[in-house]
Amino acid sequence: MEKFDPIKMQELVKVIDPEDGDGGGRLTLVFQNGKTLYISIAGDGGLVAEFADD
């Protein structure tokens, strides 16, 4: 799971609910190192996790 190396051992600072309107329909996780991870539901019902461009 190398994809998630940038957030290993990082403190989760903020969670933005998709229904708040800020996350574009995605769950948004903001970590102490400034990395932002977006989680959304794919068309097949699976989960898609994407990091924001820094």
Side-chain angles (χ1 to χ4, degrees), residues 9-48:
M9 304 300 294
Q10 297 296 314
E11 183 177 338
L12 180 61
V13 176
K14 184 176 182 181
V15 177
I16 301 170
D17 189 319
E19 294 184 11
D20 286 344
D22 294 349
R26 306 174 289 188
L27 178 65
T28 304
L29 306 176
V30 181
F31 292 88
Q32 75 183 48
N33 63 352
K35 297 289 184 185
T36 302
L37 180 66
Y38 297 106
I39 301 173
S40 59
I41 299 174
D44 65 357
L47 293 177
V48 176

Side-chain angles (χ1 to χ4, degrees), residues 1-8 37-38 47-51:
M1 303 286 288
E2 295 172 7
K3 177 179 182 175
F4 298 104
D5 282 349
I7 58 171
K8 280 186 180 176
L37 180 66
Y38 297 106
L47 293 177
V48 176
E50 304 172 276
F51 282 102

